[in-house]
Amino acid sequence: MQGEKGSWDDTTRLWEFDSGRELAQFVSFTDGSWIVMTSEGFFNASVGWAKHINLVRGLEVFSVDQVYDALFHPDLVREALAASRDPVLLAVDD
């Protein structure tokens, strides 16, 4: 829903209960686009999401195009979500 957020930074995060390890971050935008990112940086996303994102490491800013081929891995996102054993989350990239 628009106007709601799961965290102070407008993300919703999935945590592995037993270890406390973060499995994924979910971000949705007002235009309906979304991105799901694993803690390792791999992601899956809808059409139109890239206009909302810049990547920052230290003082360097990168465009999505610079890392897309290396980090766009819906299969790895699915594996991270599988750790939650929630069938709704597993359908996120279908």
Side-chain angles (χ1 to χ4, degrees), residues 53-87:
I53 301 284
N54 286 312
L55 305 169
V56 178
R57 182 177 60 190
L59 297 176
E60 295 179 89
V61 178
F62 301 90
S63 74
V64 171
D65 295 334
Q66 291 175 282
V67 298
Y68 186 87
D69 290 337
L71 297 177
F72 180 74
H73 283 282
D75 55 326
L76 297 177
V77 172
R78 180 179 282 275
E79 285 181 27
L81 296 178
S84 75
R85 298 183 186 99
D86 186 331

Side-chain angles (χ1 to χ4, degrees), residues 36-57:
V36 179
M37 298 170 282
T38 68
S39 58
E40 297 82 16
F42 299 115
F43 68 90
N44 189 11
S46 67
V47 174
W49 67 276
K51 65 185 170 197
H52 300 290
I53 301 284
N54 286 312
L55 305 169
V56 178
R57 182 177 60 190

Side-chain angles (χ1 to χ4, degrees), residues 3-13 15 22 25-27:
E4 292 185 15
K5 63 182 188 175
S7 182
W8 64 270
D9 62 357
D10 290 332
T11 64
T12 300
R13 296 171 187 248
W15 303 87
E22 182 179 304
Q25 294 180 35
F26 302 79
V27 182

